[in-house]
Amino acid sequence: MELACYKLNFTAPLHVAEEGLGLEEASKIVHSDTLMGAIINAWTLLYPEENAEELITSAPFTVSSAFPYIEDLFFFPKPMLRINSPQGAKGEDPSFGKRLKKIKFLSTPLFEKVIKGEEIDPSQLEIVEGFAHTSPFEPPCQNIEIPRVSLDRIASTSAFFYFHQIYFHPAGGLWFLAKFNKEGETASKLEGVLEFLGDHGLGADRSVGKGFFQIRRSHINIDHPESAGQVLLSLCHPTEEDFAQVKDHPLTRYTLVERRGWVTSPHGGQGFRQKLVRMFGEGSVFPCKVDGQVTRVLTAQPSQGLHHHVYRWGRAFTLPCILEDDHGQG
């Protein structure tokens, strides 16, 4: 399957807070809800004649989360699937299981093998800082600690802490997939929005030069099986129908991610706290396709300066995969 993808080549460090760990920690990915929120905000600035609420509730495209890449080497989140190895390979390499636990991201060839249920020879694995590939490679990014000092506004006392930033390889950055209902004008507008975002920055500390990037549209071919099973490449806030189908199914494997935050709309309302939403995380697998939904997380409060409803993007971006139960039956 050939899919449209966008490569964000960062020319400055990136800080996107890791939920639950505070401002000091940073994520190596940009979740789909954060990415889509930034796109919608920029879209309304570039195309003010379009209705922002209608755009996010019935968007003509869907995006995955953004994952690291270096040159033409794309990394995917490790699916919550069994990784098969050749007969006797585990006996030859007793550390194989421990090495697998360290993997957070798989290169395209390894990801394709896993979603097709094919074997992976542990002797052919190169694992660097949680990234796995079939030959030696440089890691696409590094998490660097930056010392900072916070100042109490009342007592003027200071506190020392470390702030994490993601530094990307000069030939690396983040990439994400996009599916369009209809390409043409929508795709060209999205590319214009991404160029705008690249010039204005993504994530925190944009005012001091963080999060700038250049974009390049590309395509990626993913060799996936024909299967009812699905692996999630985005966050997903399930509908009631989605949850009813997957919650008690023996082949369902998922992580839950808590999402919350502050309103960052360019049209006012900063300082409002959004309600918490729990979503399925990237790499979760399901026995059927899930759609997900866009959820209102804050109602308009014009008297307090918030003149529009606030939504969180939770639509699913999935690819087919082979699922196996605990006995190895498909």
Side-chain angles (χ1 to χ4, degrees):
M1 173 189 289
E2 185 176 83
L3 293 168
C5 76
Y6 293 91
K7 299 168 78 171
L8 314 181
N9 178 222
F10 282 86
T11 56
L14 172 70
H15 178 91
V16 176
E18 185 68 69
E19 188 64 39
L21 296 177
L23 181 66
E24 297 86 353
E25 298 292 336
S27 173
K28 290 183 179 178
I29 71 173
V30 174
H31 293 295
S32 53
D33 60 341
T34 298
L35 178 62
M36 196 63 174
I39 288 172
I40 295 298
N41 281 345
W43 196 294
T44 60
L45 291 173
L46 287 179
Y47 309 107
E49 71 281 1
E50 297 193 24
N51 185 295
E53 186 167 342
E54 182 179 338
L55 179 64
I56 194 168
T57 54
S58 55
F61 58 92
T62 305
V63 300
S64 71
S65 296
F67 308 110
Y69 80 89
I70 180 169
E71 297 180 338
D72 292 322
L73 186 59
F74 297 90
F75 289 95
F76 292 76
K78 184 174 73 172
M80 298 183 70
L81 296 167
R82 176 184 298 148
I83 297 182
N84 300 312
S85 59
Q87 192 71 23
K90 291 181 181 178
E92 297 173 7
D93 184 1
S95 67
F96 182 52
K98 291 182 178 179
R99 295 175 68 209
L100 287 183
K101 290 181 179 179
K102 296 179 181 179
I103 297 175
K104 302 297 182 184
F105 300 96
L106 297 170
S107 65
T108 305
L110 292 173
F111 178 78
E112 291 174 339
K113 283 181 177 290
V114 171
I115 64 174
K116 291 190 292 183
E118 296 179 357
E119 295 179 342
I120 292 177
D121 187 343
S123 65
Q124 296 180 354
L125 278 183
E126 292 284 339
I127 303 173
V128 181
E129 297 179 11
F131 296 89
H133 186 43
T134 54
S135 59
F137 66 97
E138 293 184 76
C141 58
Q142 288 187 318
N143 194 327
I144 304 296
E145 291 183 341
I146 305 296
R148 281 193 170 184
V149 175
S150 65
L151 188 66
D152 187 285
R153 293 181 180 180
I154 298 175
S156 296
T157 56
S158 60
F160 181 82
F161 68 99
Y162 282 100
F163 181 89
H164 287 234
Q165 296 181 159
I166 305 299
Y167 285 78
F168 292 93
H169 188 282
L174 298 174
W175 70 282
F176 69 92
L177 296 168
K179 291 179 183 176
F180 298 92
N181 297 345
K182 293 181 180 179
E183 291 215 26
E185 184 180 1
T186 300
S188 63
K189 282 186 174 181
L190 176 59
E191 287 159 25
V193 166
L194 291 172
E195 289 179 358
F196 178 88
L197 273 178
D199 292 339
H200 289 76
L202 183 65
D205 277 4
R206 297 187 298 276
S207 61
V208 292
K210 306 290 173 60
F212 296 147
F213 61 86
Q214 298 174 339
I215 76 152
R216 182 164 71 87
R217 179 170 178 172
S218 183
H219 285 85
I220 183 172
N221 283 294
I222 302 173
D223 184 14
H224 64 75
E226 295 298 325
S227 173
Q230 300 287 314
V231 58
L232 191 59
L233 296 184
S234 65
L235 295 182
C236 172
H237 188 218
T239 63
E240 290 185 8
E241 293 79 7
D242 290 333
F243 196 65
Q245 290 184 88
V246 305
K247 65 174 182 176
D248 295 322
H249 199 288
L251 300 184
T252 295
R253 300 285 186 276
Y254 64 86
T255 57
L256 288 177
V257 179
E258 292 188 351
R259 306 296 286 161
R260 71 187 81 191
W262 302 93
V263 174
T264 56
S265 168
H267 307 291
Q270 280 84 354
F272 285 87
R273 184 75 166 172
Q274 302 174 21
K275 76 173 184 180
L276 181 147
V277 177
R278 290 184 176 87
M279 301 198 192
F280 293 135
E282 297 90 349
S284 299
V285 295
F286 307 107
C288 59
K289 193 168 181 60
V290 293
D291 296 318
Q293 62 183 323
V294 177
T295 305
R296 185 189 295 181
V297 292
L298 197 59
T299 301
Q301 301 176 47
S303 63
Q304 299 183 52
L306 182 63
H307 298 281
H308 58 85
H309 302 313
V310 179
Y311 296 86
R312 186 168 291 277
W313 182 263
R315 293 203 177 137
F317 195 110
T318 62
L319 288 177
C321 67
I322 298 292
L323 301 183
E324 291 185 342
D325 62 23
D326 293 336
H327 303 287
Q329 301 297 315

